[in-house]
Amino acid sequence: MQTDQQRRVELWIRPIRDGLGEEHQTLVVRLERLADEGLVDDVCVRTWGREVDVESDTAPTKRDAVVRERLAECRLWARTEGVALPTLDERATVGSGRMGPEHDAVVLPPTLGIVFRDDEIEAVYPHERDDGTRTLADWVETAESFLGIDREHVEV
């Protein structure tokens, strides 16, 4: 798993009302251990809301623009790799009443992980291949095994 290239991980989450959920905290700690061991150069935790408008011609907020760009990059990676990103398939109609005109939006998953090698996407999690679903936790577990890290002992 070691390379001369920079590897970074973006963890996109939909936080619960009072902050990170326990599953997110554990994943962040595990990712930070990979950074401490030198397998990952940077871990970035980013938050997003419940959905993002990806079809409207109106100018998006700066955050929505970043989310739109990431979703497009993830979909391109999935097409290139021949995998499915089922957590990015859910759509909703939002914005009626005080929220403005109705528009279609992508319902954002609670967790999405993107592993970059230099500036290129290496993998997006979760994704589905013919032989099953792979999650970011699966990738972290493989990396921990490679480094000989005890994954059973994680202090949050």
Side-chain angles (χ1 to χ4, degrees), residues 120-142:
E120 300 292 319
I121 292 179
E122 179 179 315
V124 177
Y125 299 98
H127 67 261
E128 289 182 0
R129 295 188 182 275
D130 292 338
D131 60 347
T133 300
R134 301 287 193 301
T135 66
L136 185 58
D138 295 332
W139 182 83
V140 169
E141 187 172 317
T142 300

mmCIF file of all heavy atoms in Angstrom, residues 120-142:
data_model
loop_
_atom_site.group_PDB
_atom_site.id
_atom_site.type_symbol
_atom_site.label_atom_id
_atom_site.label_comp_id
_atom_site.label_asym_id
_atom_site.label_seq_id
_atom_site.Cartn_x
_atom_site.Cartn_y
_atom_site.Cartn_z
ATOM 1 N N GLU A 120 -5.691 12.654 -7.971
ATOM 2 C CA GLU A 120 -6.605 11.734 -8.630
ATOM 3 C C GLU A 120 -7.334 10.869 -7.603
ATOM 4 O O GLU A 120 -6.745 10.452 -6.610
ATOM 5 C CB GLU A 120 -5.846 10.817 -9.598
ATOM 6 C CG GLU A 120 -5.106 11.552 -10.691
ATOM 7 C CD GLU A 120 -6.046 12.227 -11.670
ATOM 8 O OE1 GLU A 120 -7.065 11.620 -12.030
ATOM 9 O OE2 GLU A 120 -5.754 13.376 -12.062
ATOM 10 N N ILE A 121 -8.605 10.587 -7.867
ATOM 11 C CA ILE A 121 -9.351 9.702 -6.980
ATOM 12 C C ILE A 121 -8.841 8.277 -7.157
ATOM 13 O O ILE A 121 -8.791 7.757 -8.270
ATOM 14 C CB ILE A 121 -10.868 9.779 -7.261
ATOM 15 C CG1 ILE A 121 -11.411 11.141 -6.851
ATOM 16 C CG2 ILE A 121 -11.606 8.660 -6.512
ATOM 17 C CD1 ILE A 121 -12.897 11.321 -7.112
ATOM 18 N N GLU A 122 -8.462 7.673 -6.056
ATOM 19 C CA GLU A 122 -8.044 6.277 -6.031
ATOM 20 C C GLU A 122 -9.256 5.381 -5.790
ATOM 21 O O GLU A 122 -9.370 4.304 -6.364
ATOM 22 C CB GLU A 122 -7.007 6.078 -4.928
ATOM 23 C CG GLU A 122 -6.509 4.667 -4.783
ATOM 24 C CD GLU A 122 -5.465 4.551 -3.682
ATOM 25 O OE1 GLU A 122 -4.554 5.391 -3.610
ATOM 26 O OE2 GLU A 122 -5.589 3.599 -2.890
ATOM 27 N N ALA A 123 -10.158 5.835 -4.909
ATOM 28 C CA ALA A 123 -11.347 5.049 -4.602
ATOM 29 C C ALA A 123 -12.390 5.908 -3.915
ATOM 30 O O ALA A 123 -12.059 6.894 -3.264
ATOM 31 C CB ALA A 123 -10.998 3.863 -3.717
ATOM 32 N N VAL A 124 -13.651 5.505 -4.073
ATOM 33 C CA VAL A 124 -14.787 6.140 -3.415
ATOM 34 C C VAL A 124 -15.514 5.039 -2.644
ATOM 35 O O VAL A 124 -15.741 3.953 -3.171
ATOM 36 C CB VAL A 124 -15.750 6.789 -4.433
ATOM 37 C CG1 VAL A 124 -16.964 7.385 -3.731
ATOM 38 C CG2 VAL A 124 -15.029 7.852 -5.263
ATOM 39 N N TYR A 125 -15.859 5.336 -1.411
ATOM 40 C CA TYR A 125 -16.538 4.359 -0.560
ATOM 41 C C TYR A 125 -17.796 4.965 0.047
ATOM 42 O O TYR A 125 -17.757 6.111 0.456
ATOM 43 C CB TYR A 125 -15.619 3.897 0.573
ATOM 44 C CG TYR A 125 -14.370 3.227 0.081
ATOM 45 C CD1 TYR A 125 -13.172 3.917 -0.024
ATOM 46 C CD2 TYR A 125 -14.400 1.890 -0.285
ATOM 47 C CE1 TYR A 125 -12.029 3.287 -0.476
ATOM 48 C CE2 TYR A 125 -13.248 1.252 -0.744
ATOM 49 C CZ TYR A 125 -12.074 1.961 -0.833
ATOM 50 O OH TYR A 125 -10.942 1.329 -1.287
ATOM 51 N N PRO A 126 -18.879 4.199 0.112
ATOM 52 C CA PRO A 126 -19.017 2.820 -0.331
ATOM 53 C C PRO A 126 -19.219 2.748 -1.843
ATOM 54 O O PRO A 126 -19.713 3.682 -2.468
ATOM 55 C CB PRO A 126 -20.272 2.317 0.400
ATOM 56 C CG PRO A 126 -21.091 3.545 0.608
ATOM 57 C CD PRO A 126 -20.112 4.670 0.773
ATOM 58 N N HIS A 127 -18.803 1.609 -2.390
ATOM 59 C CA HIS A 127 -19.077 1.310 -3.793
ATOM 60 C C HIS A 127 -19.380 -0.176 -3.920
ATOM 61 O O HIS A 127 -19.032 -0.960 -3.044
ATOM 62 C CB HIS A 127 -17.923 1.735 -4.721
ATOM 63 C CG HIS A 127 -16.662 0.958 -4.531
ATOM 64 N ND1 HIS A 127 -15.605 1.436 -3.784
ATOM 65 C CD2 HIS A 127 -16.264 -0.264 -4.984
ATOM 66 C CE1 HIS A 127 -14.621 0.546 -3.810
ATOM 67 N NE2 HIS A 127 -14.993 -0.501 -4.517
ATOM 68 N N GLU A 128 -20.052 -0.512 -5.007
ATOM 69 C CA GLU A 128 -20.421 -1.910 -5.239
ATOM 70 C C GLU A 128 -19.733 -2.432 -6.481
ATOM 71 O O GLU A 128 -19.745 -1.793 -7.527
ATOM 72 C CB GLU A 128 -21.939 -2.052 -5.420
ATOM 73 C CG GLU A 128 -22.720 -1.850 -4.156
ATOM 74 C CD GLU A 128 -24.219 -2.047 -4.352
ATOM 75 O OE1 GLU A 128 -24.664 -2.338 -5.483
ATOM 76 O OE2 GLU A 128 -24.941 -1.898 -3.363
ATOM 77 N N ARG A 129 -19.131 -3.603 -6.322
ATOM 78 C CA ARG A 129 -18.573 -4.360 -7.437
ATOM 79 C C ARG A 129 -19.408 -5.630 -7.579
ATOM 80 O O ARG A 129 -20.280 -5.891 -6.758
ATOM 81 C CB ARG A 129 -17.115 -4.714 -7.172
ATOM 82 C CG ARG A 129 -16.206 -3.495 -7.091
ATOM 83 C CD ARG A 129 -14.736 -3.909 -7.012
ATOM 84 N NE ARG A 129 -13.872 -2.756 -6.892
ATOM 85 C CZ ARG A 129 -13.415 -2.042 -7.916
ATOM 86 N NH1 ARG A 129 -13.738 -2.363 -9.144
ATOM 87 N NH2 ARG A 129 -12.631 -1.008 -7.715
ATOM 88 N N ASP A 130 -19.115 -6.415 -8.592
ATOM 89 C CA ASP A 130 -19.854 -7.664 -8.793
ATOM 90 C C ASP A 130 -19.774 -8.584 -7.576
ATOM 91 O O ASP A 130 -20.703 -9.323 -7.292
ATOM 92 C CB ASP A 130 -19.352 -8.412 -10.033
ATOM 93 C CG ASP A 130 -19.693 -7.674 -11.320
ATOM 94 O OD1 ASP A 130 -20.633 -6.853 -11.300
ATOM 95 O OD2 ASP A 130 -19.013 -7.919 -12.327
ATOM 96 N N ASP A 131 -18.654 -8.528 -6.867
ATOM 97 C CA ASP A 131 -18.467 -9.430 -5.729
ATOM 98 C C ASP A 131 -18.892 -8.835 -4.389
ATOM 99 O O ASP A 131 -18.630 -9.412 -3.342
ATOM 100 C CB ASP A 131 -17.027 -9.918 -5.661
ATOM 101 C CG ASP A 131 -16.025 -8.780 -5.501
ATOM 102 O OD1 ASP A 131 -16.397 -7.602 -5.684
ATOM 103 O OD2 ASP A 131 -14.856 -9.069 -5.193
ATOM 104 N N GLY A 132 -19.528 -7.658 -4.396
ATOM 105 C CA GLY A 132 -20.051 -7.108 -3.147
ATOM 106 C C GLY A 132 -19.740 -5.642 -2.933
ATOM 107 O O GLY A 132 -19.147 -4.977 -3.777
ATOM 108 N N THR A 133 -20.151 -5.160 -1.779
ATOM 109 C CA THR A 133 -19.987 -3.760 -1.412
ATOM 110 C C THR A 133 -18.696 -3.577 -0.622
ATOM 111 O O THR A 133 -18.355 -4.395 0.224
ATOM 112 C CB THR A 133 -21.181 -3.295 -0.548
ATOM 113 O OG1 THR A 133 -22.379 -3.447 -1.306
ATOM 114 C CG2 THR A 133 -21.030 -1.844 -0.134
ATOM 115 N N ARG A 134 -17.985 -2.501 -0.913
ATOM 116 C CA ARG A 134 -16.775 -2.131 -0.181
ATOM 117 C C ARG A 134 -17.053 -0.804 0.525
ATOM 118 O O ARG A 134 -17.578 0.129 -0.079
ATOM 119 C CB ARG A 134 -15.583 -1.923 -1.120
ATOM 120 C CG ARG A 134 -15.201 -3.109 -1.960
ATOM 121 C CD ARG A 134 -14.526 -4.178 -1.135
ATOM 122 N NE ARG A 134 -13.854 -5.220 -1.861
ATOM 123 C CZ ARG A 134 -14.386 -6.045 -2.739
ATOM 124 N NH1 ARG A 134 -15.623 -5.933 -3.084
ATOM 125 N NH2 ARG A 134 -13.662 -6.990 -3.305
ATOM 126 N N THR A 135 -16.670 -0.714 1.783
ATOM 127 C CA THR A 135 -16.862 0.512 2.546
ATOM 128 C C THR A 135 -15.511 1.118 2.894
ATOM 129 O O THR A 135 -14.463 0.459 2.766
ATOM 130 C CB THR A 135 -17.628 0.237 3.858
ATOM 131 O OG1 THR A 135 -16.802 -0.570 4.706
ATOM 132 C CG2 THR A 135 -18.967 -0.445 3.596
ATOM 133 N N LEU A 136 -15.526 2.350 3.372
ATOM 134 C CA LEU A 136 -14.289 2.976 3.820
ATOM 135 C C LEU A 136 -13.720 2.208 5.010
ATOM 136 O O LEU A 136 -12.501 2.054 5.125
ATOM 137 C CB LEU A 136 -14.523 4.446 4.184
ATOM 138 C CG LEU A 136 -13.284 5.246 4.558
ATOM 139 C CD1 LEU A 136 -12.259 5.247 3.431
ATOM 140 C CD2 LEU A 136 -13.658 6.669 4.946
ATOM 141 N N ALA A 137 -14.588 1.694 5.869
ATOM 142 C CA ALA A 137 -14.115 0.893 7.001
ATOM 143 C C ALA A 137 -13.364 -0.349 6.508
ATOM 144 O O ALA A 137 -12.363 -0.752 7.118
ATOM 145 C CB ALA A 137 -15.280 0.505 7.910
ATOM 146 N N ASP A 138 -13.815 -0.948 5.408
ATOM 147 C CA ASP A 138 -13.098 -2.096 4.820
ATOM 148 C C ASP A 138 -11.690 -1.677 4.398
ATOM 149 O O ASP A 138 -10.707 -2.380 4.639
ATOM 150 C CB ASP A 138 -13.838 -2.664 3.603
ATOM 151 C CG ASP A 138 -15.183 -3.264 3.934
ATOM 152 O OD1 ASP A 138 -15.374 -3.741 5.076
ATOM 153 O OD2 ASP A 138 -16.058 -3.256 3.035
ATOM 154 N N TRP A 139 -11.601 -0.532 3.731
ATOM 155 C CA TRP A 139 -10.304 -0.031 3.271
ATOM 156 C C TRP A 139 -9.384 0.241 4.465
ATOM 157 O O TRP A 139 -8.206 -0.124 4.450
ATOM 158 C CB TRP A 139 -10.491 1.233 2.430
ATOM 159 C CG TRP A 139 -9.216 1.787 1.889
ATOM 160 C CD1 TRP A 139 -8.566 1.384 0.755
ATOM 161 C CD2 TRP A 139 -8.416 2.835 2.456
ATOM 162 N NE1 TRP A 139 -7.416 2.121 0.593
ATOM 163 C CE2 TRP A 139 -7.299 3.024 1.615
ATOM 164 C CE3 TRP A 139 -8.540 3.631 3.583
ATOM 165 C CZ2 TRP A 139 -6.316 3.970 1.878
ATOM 166 C CZ3 TRP A 139 -7.557 4.578 3.852
ATOM 167 C CH2 TRP A 139 -6.454 4.736 3.003
ATOM 168 N N VAL A 140 -9.939 0.868 5.504
ATOM 169 C CA VAL A 140 -9.156 1.169 6.703
ATOM 170 C C VAL A 140 -8.669 -0.129 7.344
ATOM 171 O O VAL A 140 -7.509 -0.239 7.753
ATOM 172 C CB VAL A 140 -9.977 2.016 7.699
ATOM 173 C CG1 VAL A 140 -9.281 2.107 9.052
ATOM 174 C CG2 VAL A 140 -10.232 3.407 7.131
ATOM 175 N N GLU A 141 -9.546 -1.126 7.416
ATOM 176 C CA GLU A 141 -9.166 -2.414 8.003
ATOM 177 C C GLU A 141 -8.020 -3.062 7.230
ATOM 178 O O GLU A 141 -7.070 -3.584 7.824
ATOM 179 C CB GLU A 141 -10.375 -3.349 8.034
ATOM 180 C CG GLU A 141 -10.123 -4.630 8.782
ATOM 181 C CD GLU A 141 -11.391 -5.440 8.966
ATOM 182 O OE1 GLU A 141 -12.433 -4.860 9.293
ATOM 183 O OE2 GLU A 141 -11.298 -6.660 8.767
ATOM 184 N N THR A 142 -8.071 -3.020 5.914
ATOM 185 C CA THR A 142 -6.996 -3.565 5.092
ATOM 186 C C THR A 142 -5.686 -2.814 5.355
ATOM 187 O O THR A 142 -4.626 -3.421 5.501
ATOM 188 C CB THR A 142 -7.366 -3.480 3.597
ATOM 189 O OG1 THR A 142 -8.556 -4.236 3.371
ATOM 190 C CG2 THR A 142 -6.249 -3.994 2.707
#
